Amino acid sequence: MITAVVRYTLPPQIDHAACREHFHMIAPNFRGVTGLISKHFIWSESGWAGGVYQWERIEDATAFYTGPWLEGIIQRYGMKPQIDFYEVFALTDNTRGKVELFEEAVAPNDPSR
C-alpha cells in the first residue's frame, strides 16, 4: 500500500468556504479512480490544501498524478503540487477494530528500485 501526500498553496480568492465547497463537489469523482483506496481532502489555516491518498500500487498513483489531473491543479491553484510518496508498513483501523501488517513490496536492496 502507498500513501501519497499532495499539497499546494491556495490563491487568495480561495478561502476556507470556497475550498470546502469545491472539495465537496469533486469528492464523488474519485470513486472510480483505478487503484485508489481512499482520499482525505485536507485544508490548513496556513494556506495549504490538498489530499492524502491511499493507493494499492505506486504505478496507479504515478499514473493518476499526470495529464488532466495535473493540468487541473496547475490551472486552479497556479502551481505544481508537492507530492510525497510513502510505503505503508502497517495500518491500525480503529473503525473496523483491525490492525494490518503489510509485506514488503520490493526488497530494499533491489537495484531496480
Side-chain angles (χ1 to χ4, degrees), residues 12-49:
Q13 71 273 16
I14 301 178
D15 63 7
H16 178 270
C19 185
R20 175 187 292 270
E21 180 180 337
H22 180 70
F23 283 174
H24 282 189
M25 181 181 68
I26 67 170
N29 299 340
F30 288 81
R31 296 209 54 201
V33 174
T34 301
L36 181 65
I37 298 167
S38 67
K39 178 182 178 184
H40 296 256
F41 294 80
I42 58 174
W43 173 89
S44 170
E45 287 183 11
S46 68
W48 288 86

PDB file of all heavy atoms in Angstrom, residues 12-49:
ATOM      1  N   PRO A  12      -5.316  33.599  -3.035  1.00  0.00           N
ATOM      2  CA  PRO A  12      -6.102  34.403  -2.083  1.00  0.00           C
ATOM      3  C   PRO A  12      -7.619  34.331  -2.291  1.00  0.00           C
ATOM      4  O   PRO A  12      -8.369  34.417  -1.323  1.00  0.00           O
ATOM      5  CB  PRO A  12      -5.597  35.832  -2.305  1.00  0.00           C
ATOM      6  CG  PRO A  12      -4.286  35.690  -2.985  1.00  0.00           C
ATOM      7  CD  PRO A  12      -4.306  34.387  -3.714  1.00  0.00           C
ATOM      8  N   GLN A  13      -8.066  34.135  -3.521  1.00  0.00           N
ATOM      9  CA  GLN A  13      -9.505  34.114  -3.770  1.00  0.00           C
ATOM     10  C   GLN A  13     -10.179  32.815  -3.316  1.00  0.00           C
ATOM     11  O   GLN A  13     -11.409  32.733  -3.287  1.00  0.00           O
ATOM     12  CB  GLN A  13      -9.821  34.392  -5.246  1.00  0.00           C
ATOM     13  CG  GLN A  13      -9.447  33.287  -6.208  1.00  0.00           C
ATOM     14  CD  GLN A  13      -8.015  33.363  -6.713  1.00  0.00           C
ATOM     15  OE1 GLN A  13      -7.168  34.051  -6.161  1.00  0.00           O
ATOM     16  NE2 GLN A  13      -7.723  32.632  -7.782  1.00  0.00           N
ATOM     17  N   ILE A  14      -9.384  31.808  -2.958  1.00  0.00           N
ATOM     18  CA  ILE A  14      -9.966  30.544  -2.482  1.00  0.00           C
ATOM     19  C   ILE A  14      -9.804  30.483  -0.960  1.00  0.00           C
ATOM     20  O   ILE A  14      -8.748  30.115  -0.450  1.00  0.00           O
ATOM     21  CB  ILE A  14      -9.323  29.324  -3.163  1.00  0.00           C
ATOM     22  CG1 ILE A  14      -9.506  29.406  -4.683  1.00  0.00           C
ATOM     23  CG2 ILE A  14      -9.930  28.025  -2.622  1.00  0.00           C
ATOM     24  CD1 ILE A  14      -8.879  28.274  -5.462  1.00  0.00           C
ATOM     25  N   ASP A  15     -10.870  30.851  -0.247  1.00  0.00           N
ATOM     26  CA  ASP A  15     -10.845  30.819   1.216  1.00  0.00           C
ATOM     27  C   ASP A  15     -11.345  29.459   1.717  1.00  0.00           C
ATOM     28  O   ASP A  15     -11.628  28.544   0.930  1.00  0.00           O
ATOM     29  CB  ASP A  15     -11.655  31.983   1.799  1.00  0.00           C
ATOM     30  CG  ASP A  15     -13.136  31.929   1.440  1.00  0.00           C
ATOM     31  OD1 ASP A  15     -13.604  30.922   0.841  1.00  0.00           O
ATOM     32  OD2 ASP A  15     -13.849  32.901   1.762  1.00  0.00           O
ATOM     33  N   HIS A  16     -11.476  29.334   3.013  1.00  0.00           N
ATOM     34  CA  HIS A  16     -11.917  28.105   3.656  1.00  0.00           C
ATOM     35  C   HIS A  16     -13.226  27.592   3.059  1.00  0.00           C
ATOM     36  O   HIS A  16     -13.358  26.428   2.687  1.00  0.00           O
ATOM     37  CB  HIS A  16     -12.053  28.357   5.162  1.00  0.00           C
ATOM     38  CG  HIS A  16     -12.545  27.195   5.940  1.00  0.00           C
ATOM     39  ND1 HIS A  16     -13.888  26.981   6.172  1.00  0.00           N
ATOM     40  CD2 HIS A  16     -11.879  26.186   6.547  1.00  0.00           C
ATOM     41  CE1 HIS A  16     -14.034  25.893   6.897  1.00  0.00           C
ATOM     42  NE2 HIS A  16     -12.827  25.384   7.139  1.00  0.00           N
ATOM     43  N   ALA A  17     -14.214  28.475   2.967  1.00  0.00           N
ATOM     44  CA  ALA A  17     -15.532  28.074   2.470  1.00  0.00           C
ATOM     45  C   ALA A  17     -15.474  27.642   1.006  1.00  0.00           C
ATOM     46  O   ALA A  17     -16.099  26.634   0.625  1.00  0.00           O
ATOM     47  CB  ALA A  17     -16.527  29.223   2.643  1.00  0.00           C
ATOM     48  N   ALA A  18     -14.743  28.378   0.188  1.00  0.00           N
ATOM     49  CA  ALA A  18     -14.640  28.028  -1.229  1.00  0.00           C
ATOM     50  C   ALA A  18     -13.909  26.705  -1.419  1.00  0.00           C
ATOM     51  O   ALA A  18     -14.283  25.896  -2.277  1.00  0.00           O
ATOM     52  CB  ALA A  18     -13.932  29.144  -2.000  1.00  0.00           C
ATOM     53  N   CYS A  19     -12.886  26.473  -0.617  1.00  0.00           N
ATOM     54  CA  CYS A  19     -12.138  25.214  -0.696  1.00  0.00           C
ATOM     55  C   CYS A  19     -13.044  24.051  -0.301  1.00  0.00           C
ATOM     56  O   CYS A  19     -13.109  23.044  -1.005  1.00  0.00           O
ATOM     57  CB  CYS A  19     -10.900  25.286   0.204  1.00  0.00           C
ATOM     58  SG  CYS A  19      -9.831  23.838   0.072  1.00  0.00           S
ATOM     59  N   ARG A  20     -13.761  24.203   0.800  1.00  0.00           N
ATOM     60  CA  ARG A  20     -14.678  23.150   1.258  1.00  0.00           C
ATOM     61  C   ARG A  20     -15.734  22.858   0.194  1.00  0.00           C
ATOM     62  O   ARG A  20     -16.016  21.702  -0.127  1.00  0.00           O
ATOM     63  CB  ARG A  20     -15.350  23.546   2.558  1.00  0.00           C
ATOM     64  CG  ARG A  20     -16.407  22.542   3.025  1.00  0.00           C
ATOM     65  CD  ARG A  20     -17.172  23.066   4.222  1.00  0.00           C
ATOM     66  NE  ARG A  20     -16.325  23.149   5.388  1.00  0.00           N
ATOM     67  CZ  ARG A  20     -16.161  22.158   6.270  1.00  0.00           C
ATOM     68  NH1 ARG A  20     -16.792  21.025   6.108  1.00  0.00           N
ATOM     69  NH2 ARG A  20     -15.374  22.311   7.306  1.00  0.00           N
ATOM     70  N   GLU A  21     -16.325  23.900  -0.358  1.00  0.00           N
ATOM     71  CA  GLU A  21     -17.365  23.733  -1.371  1.00  0.00           C
ATOM     72  C   GLU A  21     -16.819  22.976  -2.581  1.00  0.00           C
ATOM     73  O   GLU A  21     -17.467  22.063  -3.101  1.00  0.00           O
ATOM     74  CB  GLU A  21     -17.897  25.099  -1.795  1.00  0.00           C
ATOM     75  CG  GLU A  21     -18.991  25.015  -2.846  1.00  0.00           C
ATOM     76  CD  GLU A  21     -19.508  26.383  -3.253  1.00  0.00           C
ATOM     77  OE1 GLU A  21     -19.380  27.354  -2.471  1.00  0.00           O
ATOM     78  OE2 GLU A  21     -20.035  26.483  -4.377  1.00  0.00           O
ATOM     79  N   HIS A  22     -15.625  23.350  -3.035  1.00  0.00           N
ATOM     80  CA  HIS A  22     -15.019  22.670  -4.182  1.00  0.00           C
ATOM     81  C   HIS A  22     -14.730  21.205  -3.859  1.00  0.00           C
ATOM     82  O   HIS A  22     -15.042  20.311  -4.664  1.00  0.00           O
ATOM     83  CB  HIS A  22     -13.736  23.394  -4.609  1.00  0.00           C
ATOM     84  CG  HIS A  22     -13.059  22.748  -5.766  1.00  0.00           C
ATOM     85  ND1 HIS A  22     -13.585  22.762  -7.047  1.00  0.00           N
ATOM     86  CD2 HIS A  22     -11.902  22.036  -5.846  1.00  0.00           C
ATOM     87  CE1 HIS A  22     -12.785  22.101  -7.855  1.00  0.00           C
ATOM     88  NE2 HIS A  22     -11.756  21.654  -7.159  1.00  0.00           N
ATOM     89  N   PHE A  23     -14.158  20.946  -2.700  1.00  0.00           N
ATOM     90  CA  PHE A  23     -13.856  19.565  -2.317  1.00  0.00           C
ATOM     91  C   PHE A  23     -15.133  18.728  -2.219  1.00  0.00           C
ATOM     92  O   PHE A  23     -15.166  17.570  -2.632  1.00  0.00           O
ATOM     93  CB  PHE A  23     -13.077  19.526  -1.008  1.00  0.00           C
ATOM     94  CG  PHE A  23     -11.613  19.872  -1.134  1.00  0.00           C
ATOM     95  CD1 PHE A  23     -10.837  19.990   0.001  1.00  0.00           C
ATOM     96  CD2 PHE A  23     -11.007  20.082  -2.362  1.00  0.00           C
ATOM     97  CE1 PHE A  23      -9.476  20.305  -0.083  1.00  0.00           C
ATOM     98  CE2 PHE A  23      -9.655  20.397  -2.464  1.00  0.00           C
ATOM     99  CZ  PHE A  23      -8.899  20.499  -1.315  1.00  0.00           C
ATOM    100  N   HIS A  24     -16.193  19.297  -1.655  1.00  0.00           N
ATOM    101  CA  HIS A  24     -17.464  18.569  -1.562  1.00  0.00           C
ATOM    102  C   HIS A  24     -18.010  18.256  -2.960  1.00  0.00           C
ATOM    103  O   HIS A  24     -18.588  17.185  -3.176  1.00  0.00           O
ATOM    104  CB  HIS A  24     -18.491  19.386  -0.790  1.00  0.00           C
ATOM    105  CG  HIS A  24     -18.284  19.339   0.691  1.00  0.00           C
ATOM    106  ND1 HIS A  24     -19.203  19.857   1.575  1.00  0.00           N
ATOM    107  CD2 HIS A  24     -17.275  18.862   1.456  1.00  0.00           C
ATOM    108  CE1 HIS A  24     -18.772  19.687   2.812  1.00  0.00           C
ATOM    109  NE2 HIS A  24     -17.596  19.081   2.760  1.00  0.00           N
ATOM    110  N   MET A  25     -17.824  19.175  -3.890  1.00  0.00           N
ATOM    111  CA  MET A  25     -18.324  18.983  -5.248  1.00  0.00           C
ATOM    112  C   MET A  25     -17.557  17.875  -5.981  1.00  0.00           C
ATOM    113  O   MET A  25     -18.152  17.058  -6.685  1.00  0.00           O
ATOM    114  CB  MET A  25     -18.215  20.296  -6.031  1.00  0.00           C
ATOM    115  CG  MET A  25     -18.731  20.203  -7.454  1.00  0.00           C
ATOM    116  SD  MET A  25     -18.573  21.758  -8.363  1.00  0.00           S
ATOM    117  CE  MET A  25     -16.787  21.890  -8.524  1.00  0.00           C
ATOM    118  N   ILE A  26     -16.223  17.837  -5.808  1.00  0.00           N
ATOM    119  CA  ILE A  26     -15.423  16.890  -6.597  1.00  0.00           C
ATOM    120  C   ILE A  26     -15.211  15.534  -5.925  1.00  0.00           C
ATOM    121  O   ILE A  26     -14.808  14.579  -6.592  1.00  0.00           O
ATOM    122  CB  ILE A  26     -14.059  17.492  -6.999  1.00  0.00           C
ATOM    123  CG1 ILE A  26     -13.164  17.720  -5.776  1.00  0.00           C
ATOM    124  CG2 ILE A  26     -14.249  18.763  -7.815  1.00  0.00           C
ATOM    125  CD1 ILE A  26     -11.714  18.082  -6.115  1.00  0.00           C
ATOM    126  N   ALA A  27     -15.480  15.420  -4.636  1.00  0.00           N
ATOM    127  CA  ALA A  27     -15.207  14.164  -3.919  1.00  0.00           C
ATOM    128  C   ALA A  27     -15.815  12.935  -4.594  1.00  0.00           C
ATOM    129  O   ALA A  27     -15.128  11.910  -4.738  1.00  0.00           O
ATOM    130  CB  ALA A  27     -15.656  14.265  -2.464  1.00  0.00           C
ATOM    131  N   PRO A  28     -17.064  12.978  -5.049  1.00  0.00           N
ATOM    132  CA  PRO A  28     -17.624  11.777  -5.697  1.00  0.00           C
ATOM    133  C   PRO A  28     -16.889  11.367  -6.971  1.00  0.00           C
ATOM    134  O   PRO A  28     -16.927  10.197  -7.357  1.00  0.00           O
ATOM    135  CB  PRO A  28     -19.070  12.184  -6.028  1.00  0.00           C
ATOM    136  CG  PRO A  28     -19.379  13.285  -5.067  1.00  0.00           C
ATOM    137  CD  PRO A  28     -18.081  14.021  -4.874  1.00  0.00           C
ATOM    138  N   ASN A  29     -16.189  12.289  -7.617  1.00  0.00           N
ATOM    139  CA  ASN A  29     -15.478  11.974  -8.859  1.00  0.00           C
ATOM    140  C   ASN A  29     -14.321  11.007  -8.651  1.00  0.00           C
ATOM    141  O   ASN A  29     -13.798  10.453  -9.618  1.00  0.00           O
ATOM    142  CB  ASN A  29     -14.940  13.254  -9.514  1.00  0.00           C
ATOM    143  CG  ASN A  29     -16.031  14.228  -9.877  1.00  0.00           C
ATOM    144  OD1 ASN A  29     -17.197  13.855 -10.002  1.00  0.00           O
ATOM    145  ND2 ASN A  29     -15.676  15.481 -10.025  1.00  0.00           N
ATOM    146  N   PHE A  30     -13.898  10.797  -7.423  1.00  0.00           N
ATOM    147  CA  PHE A  30     -12.755   9.924  -7.143  1.00  0.00           C
ATOM    148  C   PHE A  30     -13.167   8.474  -6.901  1.00  0.00           C
ATOM    149  O   PHE A  30     -12.313   7.624  -6.704  1.00  0.00           O
ATOM    150  CB  PHE A  30     -11.966  10.468  -5.945  1.00  0.00           C
ATOM    151  CG  PHE A  30     -11.203  11.717  -6.272  1.00  0.00           C
ATOM    152  CD1 PHE A  30     -11.833  12.951  -6.289  1.00  0.00           C
ATOM    153  CD2 PHE A  30      -9.859  11.667  -6.614  1.00  0.00           C
ATOM    154  CE1 PHE A  30     -11.148  14.115  -6.615  1.00  0.00           C
ATOM    155  CE2 PHE A  30      -9.161  12.818  -6.949  1.00  0.00           C
ATOM    156  CZ  PHE A  30      -9.815  14.043  -6.950  1.00  0.00           C
ATOM    157  N   ARG A  31     -14.453   8.189  -6.945  1.00  0.00           N
ATOM    158  CA  ARG A  31     -14.921   6.832  -6.658  1.00  0.00           C
ATOM    159  C   ARG A  31     -14.426   5.800  -7.653  1.00  0.00           C
ATOM    160  O   ARG A  31     -14.187   4.659  -7.293  1.00  0.00           O
ATOM    161  CB  ARG A  31     -16.448   6.809  -6.596  1.00  0.00           C
ATOM    162  CG  ARG A  31     -16.927   7.659  -5.430  1.00  0.00           C
ATOM    163  CD  ARG A  31     -18.190   7.251  -4.833  1.00  0.00           C
ATOM    164  NE  ARG A  31     -18.195   5.854  -4.439  1.00  0.00           N
ATOM    165  CZ  ARG A  31     -19.297   5.176  -4.267  1.00  0.00           C
ATOM    166  NH1 ARG A  31     -20.456   5.740  -4.460  1.00  0.00           N
ATOM    167  NH2 ARG A  31     -19.250   3.918  -3.901  1.00  0.00           N
ATOM    168  N   GLY A  32     -14.233   6.163  -8.909  1.00  0.00           N
ATOM    169  CA  GLY A  32     -13.843   5.186  -9.914  1.00  0.00           C
ATOM    170  C   GLY A  32     -12.377   5.212 -10.294  1.00  0.00           C
ATOM    171  O   GLY A  32     -12.005   4.598 -11.290  1.00  0.00           O
ATOM    172  N   VAL A  33     -11.540   5.891  -9.523  1.00  0.00           N
ATOM    173  CA  VAL A  33     -10.125   6.002  -9.879  1.00  0.00           C
ATOM    174  C   VAL A  33      -9.418   4.663  -9.656  1.00  0.00           C
ATOM    175  O   VAL A  33      -9.468   4.103  -8.556  1.00  0.00           O
ATOM    176  CB  VAL A  33      -9.439   7.133  -9.071  1.00  0.00           C
ATOM    177  CG1 VAL A  33      -7.942   7.151  -9.322  1.00  0.00           C
ATOM    178  CG2 VAL A  33     -10.066   8.483  -9.408  1.00  0.00           C
ATOM    179  N   THR A  34      -8.764   4.170 -10.669  1.00  0.00           N
ATOM    180  CA  THR A  34      -8.083   2.879 -10.611  1.00  0.00           C
ATOM    181  C   THR A  34      -7.034   2.851  -9.496  1.00  0.00           C
ATOM    182  O   THR A  34      -6.164   3.721  -9.443  1.00  0.00           O
ATOM    183  CB  THR A  34      -7.392   2.574 -11.959  1.00  0.00           C
ATOM    184  OG1 THR A  34      -8.385   2.554 -12.977  1.00  0.00           O
ATOM    185  CG2 THR A  34      -6.656   1.240 -11.920  1.00  0.00           C
ATOM    186  N   GLY A  35      -7.147   1.871  -8.617  1.00  0.00           N
ATOM    187  CA  GLY A  35      -6.160   1.658  -7.566  1.00  0.00           C
ATOM    188  C   GLY A  35      -6.303   2.542  -6.350  1.00  0.00           C
ATOM    189  O   GLY A  35      -5.586   2.356  -5.364  1.00  0.00           O
ATOM    190  N   LEU A  36      -7.219   3.515  -6.367  1.00  0.00           N
ATOM    191  CA  LEU A  36      -7.378   4.415  -5.220  1.00  0.00           C
ATOM    192  C   LEU A  36      -8.228   3.733  -4.156  1.00  0.00           C
ATOM    193  O   LEU A  36      -9.349   3.302  -4.416  1.00  0.00           O
ATOM    194  CB  LEU A  36      -8.040   5.726  -5.651  1.00  0.00           C
ATOM    195  CG  LEU A  36      -8.246   6.757  -4.548  1.00  0.00           C
ATOM    196  CD1 LEU A  36      -6.913   7.255  -3.998  1.00  0.00           C
ATOM    197  CD2 LEU A  36      -9.077   7.935  -5.065  1.00  0.00           C
ATOM    198  N   ILE A  37      -7.683   3.649  -2.955  1.00  0.00           N
ATOM    199  CA  ILE A  37      -8.398   3.069  -1.822  1.00  0.00           C
ATOM    200  C   ILE A  37      -9.222   4.142  -1.128  1.00  0.00           C
ATOM    201  O   ILE A  37     -10.398   3.955  -0.840  1.00  0.00           O
ATOM    202  CB  ILE A  37      -7.414   2.415  -0.832  1.00  0.00           C
ATOM    203  CG1 ILE A  37      -6.668   1.267  -1.523  1.00  0.00           C
ATOM    204  CG2 ILE A  37      -8.134   1.952   0.426  1.00  0.00           C
ATOM    205  CD1 ILE A  37      -5.463   0.750  -0.760  1.00  0.00           C
ATOM    206  N   SER A  38      -8.582   5.291  -0.854  1.00  0.00           N
ATOM    207  CA  SER A  38      -9.284   6.393  -0.204  1.00  0.00           C
ATOM    208  C   SER A  38      -8.546   7.699  -0.430  1.00  0.00           C
ATOM    209  O   SER A  38      -7.375   7.710  -0.800  1.00  0.00           O
ATOM    210  CB  SER A  38      -9.423   6.141   1.309  1.00  0.00           C
ATOM    211  OG  SER A  38      -8.141   6.171   1.933  1.00  0.00           O
ATOM    212  N   LYS A  39      -9.263   8.793  -0.227  1.00  0.00           N
ATOM    213  CA  LYS A  39      -8.663  10.115  -0.303  1.00  0.00           C
ATOM    214  C   LYS A  39      -9.254  10.978   0.798  1.00  0.00           C
ATOM    215  O   LYS A  39     -10.467  11.027   0.975  1.00  0.00           O
ATOM    216  CB  LYS A  39      -8.924  10.787  -1.658  1.00  0.00           C
ATOM    217  CG  LYS A  39      -8.329  12.198  -1.697  1.00  0.00           C
ATOM    218  CD  LYS A  39      -8.589  12.931  -2.982  1.00  0.00           C
ATOM    219  CE  LYS A  39      -7.989  14.334  -2.872  1.00  0.00           C
ATOM    220  NZ  LYS A  39      -8.257  15.169  -4.024  1.00  0.00           N
ATOM    221  N   HIS A  40      -8.375  11.660   1.531  1.00  0.00           N
ATOM    222  CA  HIS A  40      -8.774  12.661   2.510  1.00  0.00           C
ATOM    223  C   HIS A  40      -8.507  14.021   1.883  1.00  0.00           C
ATOM    224  O   HIS A  40      -7.371  14.313   1.494  1.00  0.00           O
ATOM    225  CB  HIS A  40      -7.955  12.541   3.805  1.00  0.00           C
ATOM    226  CG  HIS A  40      -8.181  11.253   4.524  1.00  0.00           C
ATOM    227  ND1 HIS A  40      -8.951  11.164   5.649  1.00  0.00           N
ATOM    228  CD2 HIS A  40      -7.735  10.002   4.265  1.00  0.00           C
ATOM    229  CE1 HIS A  40      -8.978   9.910   6.068  1.00  0.00           C
ATOM    230  NE2 HIS A  40      -8.243   9.187   5.235  1.00  0.00           N
ATOM    231  N   PHE A  41      -9.522  14.839   1.780  1.00  0.00           N
ATOM    232  CA  PHE A  41      -9.382  16.194   1.244  1.00  0.00           C
ATOM    233  C   PHE A  41      -9.006  17.096   2.410  1.00  0.00           C
ATOM    234  O   PHE A  41      -9.767  17.210   3.378  1.00  0.00           O
ATOM    235  CB  PHE A  41     -10.704  16.654   0.617  1.00  0.00           C
ATOM    236  CG  PHE A  41     -11.088  15.859  -0.598  1.00  0.00           C
ATOM    237  CD1 PHE A  41     -11.691  14.616  -0.486  1.00  0.00           C
ATOM    238  CD2 PHE A  41     -10.849  16.367  -1.871  1.00  0.00           C
ATOM    239  CE1 PHE A  41     -12.052  13.886  -1.608  1.00  0.00           C
ATOM    240  CE2 PHE A  41     -11.207  15.647  -3.001  1.00  0.00           C
ATOM    241  CZ  PHE A  41     -11.815  14.400  -2.866  1.00  0.00           C
ATOM    242  N   ILE A  42      -7.846  17.743   2.338  1.00  0.00           N
ATOM    243  CA  ILE A  42      -7.311  18.457   3.503  1.00  0.00           C
ATOM    244  C   ILE A  42      -7.141  19.955   3.233  1.00  0.00           C
ATOM    245  O   ILE A  42      -6.916  20.375   2.097  1.00  0.00           O
ATOM    246  CB  ILE A  42      -5.980  17.839   3.973  1.00  0.00           C
ATOM    247  CG1 ILE A  42      -4.937  17.847   2.836  1.00  0.00           C
ATOM    248  CG2 ILE A  42      -6.210  16.414   4.484  1.00  0.00           C
ATOM    249  CD1 ILE A  42      -3.540  17.393   3.263  1.00  0.00           C
ATOM    250  N   TRP A  43      -7.263  20.738   4.302  1.00  0.00           N
ATOM    251  CA  TRP A  43      -7.111  22.191   4.270  1.00  0.00           C
ATOM    252  C   TRP A  43      -6.430  22.615   5.563  1.00  0.00           C
ATOM    253  O   TRP A  43      -6.666  22.029   6.624  1.00  0.00           O
ATOM    254  CB  TRP A  43      -8.482  22.864   4.174  1.00  0.00           C
ATOM    255  CG  TRP A  43      -8.432  24.347   4.297  1.00  0.00           C
ATOM    256  CD1 TRP A  43      -8.261  25.241   3.288  1.00  0.00           C
ATOM    257  CD2 TRP A  43      -8.542  25.119   5.500  1.00  0.00           C
ATOM    258  NE1 TRP A  43      -8.261  26.515   3.786  1.00  0.00           N
ATOM    259  CE2 TRP A  43      -8.433  26.472   5.148  1.00  0.00           C
ATOM    260  CE3 TRP A  43      -8.716  24.791   6.842  1.00  0.00           C
ATOM    261  CZ2 TRP A  43      -8.487  27.504   6.080  1.00  0.00           C
ATOM    262  CZ3 TRP A  43      -8.778  25.816   7.774  1.00  0.00           C
ATOM    263  CH2 TRP A  43      -8.661  27.150   7.387  1.00  0.00           C
ATOM    264  N   SER A  44      -5.600  23.655   5.487  1.00  0.00           N
ATOM    265  CA  SER A  44      -4.917  24.170   6.670  1.00  0.00           C
ATOM    266  C   SER A  44      -5.004  25.695   6.694  1.00  0.00           C
ATOM    267  O   SER A  44      -4.975  26.348   5.635  1.00  0.00           O
ATOM    268  CB  SER A  44      -3.440  23.754   6.641  1.00  0.00           C
ATOM    269  OG  SER A  44      -2.710  24.430   7.642  1.00  0.00           O
ATOM    270  N   GLU A  45      -5.076  26.263   7.883  1.00  0.00           N
ATOM    271  CA  GLU A  45      -5.081  27.719   8.040  1.00  0.00           C
ATOM    272  C   GLU A  45      -3.809  28.360   7.488  1.00  0.00           C
ATOM    273  O   GLU A  45      -3.787  29.553   7.213  1.00  0.00           O
ATOM    274  CB  GLU A  45      -5.230  28.094   9.516  1.00  0.00           C
ATOM    275  CG  GLU A  45      -6.609  27.853  10.046  1.00  0.00           C
ATOM    276  CD  GLU A  45      -6.773  28.302  11.482  1.00  0.00           C
ATOM    277  OE1 GLU A  45      -5.872  28.989  12.022  1.00  0.00           O
ATOM    278  OE2 GLU A  45      -7.803  27.965  12.076  1.00  0.00           O
ATOM    279  N   SER A  46      -2.768  27.574   7.306  1.00  0.00           N
ATOM    280  CA  SER A  46      -1.504  28.094   6.772  1.00  0.00           C
ATOM    281  C   SER A  46      -1.601  28.462   5.288  1.00  0.00           C
ATOM    282  O   SER A  46      -0.671  29.030   4.735  1.00  0.00           O
ATOM    283  CB  SER A  46      -0.387  27.070   6.972  1.00  0.00           C
ATOM    284  OG  SER A  46      -0.629  25.937   6.141  1.00  0.00           O
ATOM    285  N   GLY A  47      -2.729  28.114   4.652  1.00  0.00           N
ATOM    286  CA  GLY A  47      -2.907  28.412   3.239  1.00  0.00           C
ATOM    287  C   GLY A  47      -2.638  27.235   2.321  1.00  0.00           C
ATOM    288  O   GLY A  47      -2.696  27.364   1.108  1.00  0.00           O
ATOM    289  N   TRP A  48      -2.333  26.078   2.901  1.00  0.00           N
ATOM    290  CA  TRP A  48      -2.089  24.865   2.117  1.00  0.00           C
ATOM    291  C   TRP A  48      -3.345  24.005   2.099  1.00  0.00           C
ATOM    292  O   TRP A  48      -4.104  23.972   3.065  1.00  0.00           O
ATOM    293  CB  TRP A  48      -0.943  24.057   2.717  1.00  0.00           C
ATOM    294  CG  TRP A  48       0.393  24.687   2.508  1.00  0.00           C
ATOM    295  CD1 TRP A  48       0.980  25.630   3.302  1.00  0.00           C
ATOM    296  CD2 TRP A  48       1.293  24.446   1.439  1.00  0.00           C
ATOM    297  NE1 TRP A  48       2.208  25.977   2.788  1.00  0.00           N
ATOM    298  CE2 TRP A  48       2.424  25.277   1.643  1.00  0.00           C
ATOM    299  CE3 TRP A  48       1.267  23.613   0.323  1.00  0.00           C
ATOM    300  CZ2 TRP A  48       3.510  25.278   0.773  1.00  0.00           C
ATOM    301  CZ3 TRP A  48       2.348  23.626  -0.535  1.00  0.00           C
ATOM    302  CH2 TRP A  48       3.453  24.445  -0.308  1.00  0.00           C
ATOM    303  N   ALA A  49      -3.544  23.295   1.005  1.00  0.00           N
ATOM    304  CA  ALA A  49      -4.631  22.328   0.890  1.00  0.00           C
ATOM    305  C   ALA A  49      -4.132  21.180   0.032  1.00  0.00           C
ATOM    306  O   ALA A  49      -3.016  21.226  -0.494  1.00  0.00           O
ATOM    307  CB  ALA A  49      -5.864  22.979   0.271  1.00  0.00           C
TER     308      ALA A  49
END
